[in-house]
Amino acid sequence: MNSALGMSTSPPSTPSQATSSSKGRPITVLLVDDQATMNEAIQCLLATENDITYHYCSTADQALTMAIEVAPTVILQDLIMPGADGMALVKQFRTQAATQDVPIIMFSTNDDPQTKAEAFAVGVNDYLVKLPDRIELLARIRYHSQAYLNRQAHTAALVVQEQAQELEQILQELRRTQAQLIQTEKLSSLGQMLAGIAHEINNPVNFIFGNLTYIENYVSDLMRLVHAYQGCYPEPGDEIQTLLEDMDYEFLTQDLEKILASTRLGVERIIQIILSLRNFSRQDQAEMRLSNLHEGIDSTLLILGHRIKQGIEIIKQYGELPPIECYPAQLNQVFMNILNNAIDALEENSTLANPQDSAPTGCGKQIFIQTQRQDENRVEVRIRDTGVGIPADILDQLFTPFFTTKPVGKGTGLGLSICQQIIKNHQGSLQVVSQPGQGTEFIIQLLIEH
Ligand SMILES: Nc1ncnc2c1ncn2[C@@H]1O[C@H](COP(=O)(O)OP(=O)(O)O)[C@@H](O)[C@H]1O
Ligand SMILES: [Mg+2]
């Protein structure tokens, strides 16, 4: 018995037939047969085929190892070998990842249909009675190999496609994370700065505010005193008379009151701004806390005040909302991004000045901010503008990081992707509805409790 393993023939250098496999991987045949004469016959038969590489294995024991090593495109296998069951060997090939799809042509002296049926049932692809005709065997080897190579190529293409999709997803995720990081970084430094400024201004403003009450009291005392003097001395001397006229005493007394009142108003406003700054930049981001959404929106509007002044009307329609569990500074960032976009859209629209945009409540640049409780555990914030609107074909790209329609330097394309990420962190939802030329509405839904 010939037990030489891996006895291979180098193809002779006769001109080969043009085959479809000559472009890709060559046809590789592995014969598993205990009879050396069979090896010689097949080897001889394939010797003139330039495109076919041939390997031989004489024992069933080592067939699997060898198949894994030589990676045949077709296996020719004997059904009956001493001490080995050909059917069992086929099953073995079929359970191994490396060989499970390799076509197997069973060789047998047995022409019984029952045996053939059994062979097909365990997984052979073809069944030939020994010794087959040369032309037929070659045709079958080529046919099975080619089919196998085609399947392999197809699977490989699918795998590549899958990997590309996976990579694309990872890339998207990375960009989102990067965007998130940039924004978080910006947010936290902005937050720190705002908190710092608020803290620094808070002290002097507080003593101005405290002193103001004394000033008001002292001024009123002094005025009473002057009044009393005027009562006692209705005819003052020349010197005092000139002084009164120079300082325009009547006007001074009236104006002083107004100045004091407006100073008080100014200081109160600064205190309000400081509160808003602190509110906006809450640094307690590590844990969720109960927060009033309306306060957040109002603080954000206050900070955006410089942009809102230019003829933009803010129409608040606040409903009854309970405090909700959230990261307030992050939600403020969401309101900030959406309101900033709304203002941009209104400014862009103002050049068009389309009369049909006018809503019944008025016309022109409007931002409606509507809040309402949705159900037991959900609230909704709607921010609608009467700006340019969004063309339908870009609606699904809005939340993609770096997608922007704004000129360089104005848009980063990060605002909405950040909003989406933040809302996702809150297990809420963010939707957009838009009519080009009419306006855009962003709808945020948030849980009250988590
Ligand atoms: N309210 C809106 N009206 C019209 N277009 C909007 C509105 N909000 C967002 N968009 C569109 O979505 C794009 C992405 O917005 P965003 O992610 O905030 O990035 P950026 O504002 O930096 O462009 C904007 O460039 C704009 O085209
Ligand atoms: Mg934006």
Side-chain angles (χ1 to χ4, degrees):
M1 200 199 303
N2 187 351
S3 62
L5 280 178
M7 187 176 101
S8 308
T9 57
S10 302
S13 54
T14 45
S16 80
Q17 296 164 266
T19 64
S20 51
S21 72
S22 56
K23 292 183 222 115
R25 219 179 112 192
I27 293 175
T28 306
V29 174
L30 171 63
L31 172 71
V32 184
D33 198 312
D34 62 299
Q35 290 176 299
T37 50
M38 191 64 185
N39 170 34
E40 279 154 27
I42 300 290
Q43 189 178 349
C44 180
L45 190 145
L46 296 179
T48 51
E49 303 307 309
N50 235 349
D51 60 327
I52 299 180
T53 309
Y54 174 66
H55 299 274
Y56 171 59
C57 174
S58 63
T59 66
D61 292 355
Q62 279 158 312
L64 192 64
T65 319
M66 189 155 170
I68 291 170
E69 190 185 309
V70 305
T73 57
V74 65
I75 296 170
L76 310 177
Q77 192 207 305
D78 191 15
L79 174 60
I80 299 155
M81 289 175 278
D85 174 1
M87 300 288 187
L89 180 58
V90 173
K91 284 187 195 162
Q92 231 183 325
F93 279 134
R94 288 300 173 241
T95 51
Q96 289 292 318
T99 54
Q100 65 183 2
D101 295 320
V102 178
I104 298 175
I105 301 176
M106 185 68 95
F107 278 164
S108 175
T109 46
N110 190 346
D111 198 14
D112 165 36
Q114 195 60 43
T115 313
K116 288 182 183 173
E118 198 192 327
F120 281 109
V122 293
V124 305
N125 301 70
D126 213 342
Y127 191 104
L128 292 177
V129 177
K130 280 188 192 177
L131 225 183
D133 171 74
R134 174 177 184 273
I135 295 177
E136 182 183 351
L137 180 62
L138 274 177
R140 287 182 191 260
I141 286 173
R142 289 215 158 85
Y143 166 76
H144 286 295
S145 291
Q146 204 51 58
Y148 174 67
L149 288 172
N150 287 347
R151 278 197 305 274
Q152 294 277 95
H154 183 67
T155 314
L158 279 181
V159 168
V160 167
Q161 202 179 338
E162 246 169 56
Q163 283 173 340
Q165 273 169 1
E166 229 170 84
L167 268 176
E168 176 66 25
Q169 263 176 6
I170 293 172
L171 189 69
Q172 284 275 347
E173 197 53 42
L174 260 176
R175 297 184 98 188
R176 226 192 304 278
T177 315
Q178 183 195 29
Q180 174 89 34
L181 276 175
I182 293 171
Q183 197 65 14
T184 312
E185 183 51 39
K186 272 205 229 155
L187 230 185
S188 81
S189 37
L190 175 75
Q192 279 168 16
M193 201 179 78
L194 289 183
I197 293 172
H199 178 80
E200 287 308 320
I201 297 177
N202 196 39
N203 264 351
V205 165
N206 269 333
F207 61 69
I208 292 175
F209 189 66
N211 290 350
L212 205 58
T213 310
Y214 290 104
I215 294 174
E216 281 164 343
N217 289 341
Y218 294 165
V219 165
S220 121
D221 285 349
L222 286 173
M223 298 300 278
R224 268 197 302 133
L225 181 67
V226 174
H227 214 75
Y229 266 111
Q230 279 176 327
C232 294
Y233 307 101
E235 298 296 334
D238 285 352
E239 194 186 342
I240 288 178
Q241 194 59 48
T242 319
L243 254 175
L244 284 174
E245 277 163 21
D246 280 358
M247 69 175 64
D248 195 353
Y249 179 75
E250 286 303 310
F251 172 78
L252 185 150
T253 47
Q254 283 164 19
D255 204 40
L256 187 59
E257 231 172 90
K258 285 187 203 153
I259 286 174
L260 282 173
S262 100
T263 306
R264 177 170 279 280
L265 208 76
V267 174
E268 277 169 0
R269 209 135 93 197
I270 295 174
I271 289 172
Q272 198 53 48
I273 291 171
I274 291 169
L275 261 176
S276 292
L277 285 179
R278 287 178 149 183
N279 203 352
F280 184 84
S281 62
R282 289 244 150 86
Q283 296 296 298
D284 40 20
Q285 290 181 10
E287 275 177 28
M288 282 204 164
R289 53 185 291 280
L290 282 179
S291 169
N292 180 331
L293 277 190
H294 294 151
E295 271 178 21
I297 298 172
D298 289 342
S299 307
T300 310
L301 284 171
L302 208 119
I303 286 167
L304 278 174
H306 67 289
R307 295 205 66 199
I308 291 168
K309 266 170 213 153
Q310 306 142 2
I312 293 171
E313 193 185 353
I314 304 284
I315 299 152
K316 293 188 209 169
Q317 297 161 331
Y318 287 173
E320 285 275 327
L321 294 191
I324 76 157
E325 216 179 334
C326 63
Y327 299 104
Q330 289 189 13
L331 286 190
N332 290 346
Q333 186 63 29
V334 171
F335 301 139
M336 178 81 131
N337 290 349
I338 292 178
L339 285 167
N340 257 322
N341 284 343
I343 296 169
D344 288 342
L346 288 172
E347 282 175 357
E348 208 180 312
N349 205 20
S350 63
T351 47
L352 305 173
N354 193 343
Q356 77 196 29
D357 292 345
S358 48
T361 42
C363 73
K365 304 175 178 180
Q366 291 170 322
I367 298 176
F368 295 82
I369 306 173
Q370 197 181 26
T371 64
Q372 65 185 45
R373 189 170 181 156
Q374 278 263 289
D375 56 39
E376 260 311 286
N377 198 27
R378 253 184 326 164
V379 297
E380 186 179 78
V381 180
R382 287 170 178 258
I383 300 178
R384 179 162 71 85
D385 64 67
T386 55
V388 279
I390 303 167
D393 58 325
I394 63 163
L395 264 184
D396 58 347
Q397 298 177 64
L398 294 198
F399 300 101
T400 310
F402 304 108
F403 174 81
T404 181
T405 56
K406 294 169 192 171
V408 180
K410 187 148 197 231
T412 60
L414 287 176
L416 288 180
S417 78
I418 297 301
C419 289
Q420 195 185 42
Q421 195 62 39
I422 291 175
I423 298 296
K424 201 168 132 203
N425 287 348
H426 283 78
Q427 293 169 294
S429 72
L430 174 61
Q431 282 163 16
V432 56
V433 189
S434 185
Q435 276 284 331
Q438 302 276 314
T440 303
E441 181 166 49
F442 282 88
I443 303 161
I444 305 165
Q445 290 193 339
L446 290 165
L447 293 180
I448 295 170
E449 266 177 52
H450 287 264

